[in-house]
Amino acid sequence: MERLKRKIDDYLIQWKKNKNRLPLIIKGARQIGKTNAIRNFGNNNYKTFIEINFALQPQFKTIFEEGFEVNNIMKNITLKMPELELYENSTLIFFDEMQDCISTATSLKAFREDGRYDIICSGSLMGINYKEIESNSVGNKEDYIMCSLDFEEFLWAKGYKEEQINDLYKHMIDLKPLSSIQYDVMMSNFKEYMIVGGMPAIVNQFVKNKNFSGILKMQQQILLDYEEDITKYAGGLDKTKILNCYRKIPVFLGNENKKFKISKISDGARNREYIGVIEWLSNAGIVNVCYAMEKACLPLKGNYNPDNYRLYFADTGLLIGSLDEEIQDDLRNNENMNTYKGALYENIISDMLVKEGYDLYFYRDDRKKIEMDFMVRDKNSLIPIEVKANDNATISLNNLINNNLYKDIKYGIKLCNKNIGFNGKFYTFPYFLTFLLKRFLKEK
């Protein structure tokens, strides 16, 4: 399988160049390419690359038995791997599946203070173990959150070059509509990305075969693997409650207001009984949580209701893999993305915004009949983002921009199947340009 170019590749190179680098923990859901990226980096940038997987090689859990002095840890590693040549400042140790050996987190302080060997850790940082790892390694590590492929990485996988992506951005910044060929080709790529998602093995298969054959089966297998992870790593939380929430996500997304309601999960379910469950799914990298803002004003983080939220799949391909066969056939054969009440467009935009580094918030005021899919901000204003499955009226967007009550809102963004434009109140962009939105808002 050909290795896909990933954004983490450049990040790791920059991390290595930093003389004061800390041990690195790479977080993210399973099967998004963490191990592959670290292995590629280690083999290409160090004289010695040591990979220890605590799930597959439980015998290595004993390397910390004599304490956390680096010389003792390295002595125990080389006892088990006598062929190793250790080079100070050119040896990378990769501790994979660290959730199966919590002592790894405790060792990071010793490795940081010693400074002779670089350390990268990864694994399923979930449930109880996730919290233990966080508390044991605080101040002695750097975190990197990795996701499945974003749309730009998907374009790279298909062979697109930086200059072609920069040309898309230049059209945005100049507010110049794309040519019909640019628009049609990119919209086609975007629809493929919606159906395929960003899981590396699935993207590789799609790029190689140039069709959707076998994709659904792979998506469904990953969904089953996640269920297995839930039963394995849920720790002190009720596994059934986590599975109930996880399996109900497509149901709520298919509803008109998409609000996730614990009371509708099972008979008699109460919010207080599900404390920690949504946080667990979010920490696992399986879902993206979008919180309701109480007021349409800044700041974002101090102005939301933690009990009112929507849940989106962290990879839209997996949402599609969870849907019934009739919707699957409609999507693949007819490219009918408007099915499922616009949920597919909302899910993909939520996914793209998170991969841009945004937290997710929405706004709804039933009295004023205002509903806004997402809210982001630039340096000094709150920006409503409306996602349209069809190019119909933008009543909510106009109401927020025109009303003096919303002083923090100066302009908005409409994402739909329509070319680039600006009407003095809001920018219109085709869905596929969402991956360039943060750059645009920073530089415009």
Side-chain angles (χ1 to χ4, degrees):
M1 185 168 81
E2 190 177 335
R3 188 179 178 273
L4 300 169
K5 178 186 172 189
R6 302 298 303 273
K7 290 184 177 177
I8 193 174
D9 300 342
D10 287 338
Y11 174 87
L12 290 170
I13 297 292
Q14 294 308 312
W15 173 77
K16 187 176 189 299
K17 286 179 180 175
N18 181 359
K19 289 179 182 173
N20 300 313
R21 61 188 170 273
L22 298 173
L24 181 62
I25 296 184
I26 296 177
K27 302 177 179 182
R30 281 198 180 279
Q31 303 187 47
I32 57 168
K34 299 189 298 292
T35 299
N36 190 296
I38 298 162
R39 194 178 284 153
N40 176 69
F41 169 68
N43 285 325
N44 288 325
N45 292 280
Y46 292 83
K47 287 183 182 175
T48 296
F49 172 59
I50 303 169
E51 181 176 343
I52 294 170
N53 183 311
F54 290 112
L56 299 178
Q57 301 165 294
Q59 68 272 23
F60 278 91
K61 292 179 187 179
T62 59
I63 62 175
F64 304 112
E65 275 186 358
E66 293 178 63
F68 298 100
E69 216 282 312
V70 170
N71 284 337
N72 287 337
I73 297 170
M74 299 312 293
K75 179 189 76 176
N76 290 333
I77 289 174
T78 52
L79 278 171
K80 294 175 186 290
M81 296 178 171
E83 73 285 359
L84 281 180
E85 295 278 345
L86 296 180
Y87 298 93
E88 292 184 12
N89 304 313
S90 194
T91 294
L92 175 64
I93 305 166
F94 171 32
F95 293 125
D96 202 1
E97 304 292 2
M98 71 181 292
Q99 78 284 342
D100 282 13
C101 183
I102 300 300
S103 295
T104 311
T106 312
S107 75
L108 298 184
K109 183 180 180 184
F111 277 110
R112 178 183 67 79
E113 290 174 348
D114 181 88
R116 287 176 291 166
Y117 308 106
D118 287 352
I119 306 292
I120 297 181
C121 305
S122 186
S124 296
L125 305 182
M126 303 175 178
I128 298 300
N129 290 10
Y130 174 87
K131 286 182 176 155
E132 270 191 60
I133 288 167
E134 285 293 286
S135 59
N136 287 9
S137 56
V138 67
N140 295 299
K141 46 90 176 178
E142 179 179 330
D143 291 327
Y144 180 91
I145 297 175
M146 189 176 176
C147 303
S148 60
L149 276 83
D150 67 16
F151 185 53
E152 186 170 16
E153 290 172 316
F154 180 79
L155 292 176
W156 292 346
K158 291 198 71 182
Y160 288 92
K161 306 293 186 287
E162 287 292 335
E163 53 267 28
Q164 292 166 299
I165 288 163
N166 286 334
D167 188 50
L168 292 175
Y169 181 69
K170 190 165 187 329
H171 277 77
M172 278 180 88
I173 211 81
D174 294 342
L175 295 176
K176 180 184 168 190
L178 298 163
S179 70
S180 58
I181 186 167
Q182 269 181 309
Y183 191 97
D184 292 345
V185 169
M186 281 301 150
M187 196 63 197
S188 175
N189 284 322
F190 179 73
K191 286 180 176 178
E192 289 173 357
Y193 178 62
M194 266 179 105
I195 293 171
V196 171
M199 291 298 186
I202 297 176
V203 173
N204 249 321
Q205 170 139 330
F206 175 73
V207 170
K208 186 179 77 176
N209 294 344
K210 295 183 171 60
N211 61 48
F212 296 114
S213 173
I215 297 291
L216 176 58
K217 191 175 178 185
M218 292 173 80
Q219 288 168 335
Q220 290 174 334
Q221 185 56 53
I222 290 174
L223 289 165
L224 289 172
D225 290 346
Y226 280 1
E227 292 208 2
E228 196 178 306
D229 270 354
I230 288 168
T231 57
K232 185 176 177 184
Y233 291 117
L237 291 169
D238 187 325
K239 297 172 176 63
T240 309
K241 286 175 181 167
I242 298 176
L243 284 169
N244 280 346
C245 287
Y246 174 61
R247 289 169 181 161
K248 285 286 189 336
I249 296 169
V251 176
F252 288 108
L253 285 178
N255 293 339
E256 206 61 57
N257 77 357
K258 299 178 178 60
K259 181 180 176 182
F260 196 89
K261 294 179 181 174
I262 296 294
S263 59
K264 302 278 191 208
I265 287 176
S266 60
D267 287 341
R270 296 285 178 271
N271 271 326
R272 64 176 178 273
E273 297 162 0
Y274 280 74
I275 288 169
V277 167
I278 303 306
E279 182 191 19
W280 192 94
L281 284 166
S282 177
N283 285 340
I286 294 172
V287 302
N288 292 323
V289 188
C290 185
Y291 290 104
M293 295 183 69
E294 298 201 306
K295 296 175 187 171
C297 65
L298 295 172
L300 281 168
K301 288 194 174 173
N303 179 28
Y304 69 90
N305 181 351
D307 296 323
N308 186 356
Y309 52 85
R310 296 168 177 175
L311 291 188
Y312 296 103
F313 272 87
D315 186 273
T316 302
L318 297 186
L319 167 60
I320 286 176
S322 74
L323 301 177
D324 58 47
E325 282 182 36
E326 290 76 20
I327 293 178
Q328 299 277 354
D329 290 343
D330 199 12
L331 286 167
R332 284 177 173 76
N333 299 329
N334 307 318
E335 288 197 343
N336 179 16
M337 302 296 176
N338 291 343
T339 187
Y340 209 57
K341 296 188 178 170
L344 298 181
Y345 286 113
E346 270 189 49
N347 202 102
I348 190 94
I349 298 303
S350 74
D351 182 20
M352 293 171 93
L353 289 173
V354 167
K355 286 170 177 172
E356 283 273 273
Y358 286 111
D359 293 322
L360 298 180
Y361 302 95
F362 72 96
Y363 181 69
R364 186 182 176 107
D365 185 335
D366 290 329
R367 286 176 298 115
K368 294 193 178 80
K369 295 185 176 171
I370 291 174
E371 180 171 5
M372 196 47 50
D373 301 307
F374 301 105
M375 293 283 209
V376 298
R377 64 167 302 169
D378 61 15
K379 200 158 56 174
N380 50 27
S381 61
L382 182 66
I383 307 161
I385 298 178
E386 191 157 17
V387 181
K388 288 289 185 186
N390 303 297
D391 184 29
N392 42 16
T394 51
I395 297 164
S396 290
L397 199 52
N398 282 317
N399 285 345
L400 284 169
I401 296 164
N402 294 337
N403 196 319
N404 289 332
L405 286 172
Y406 309 112
K407 296 189 188 311
D408 290 332
I409 297 174
K410 298 174 178 64
Y411 64 95
I413 291 166
K414 177 184 173 184
L415 299 171
C416 56
N417 187 2
K418 203 171 178 184
N419 218 321
I420 296 168
F422 181 59
N423 64 2
K425 293 179 183 178
F426 59 82
Y427 297 91
T428 299
F429 294 123
Y431 310 110
F432 56 79
L433 292 180
T434 305
F435 80 100
L436 293 167
L437 205 54
K438 192 157 200 174
R439 183 176 164 193
F440 172 80
L441 293 175
K442 201 173 178 182
E443 294 177 14
K444 77 165 179 55

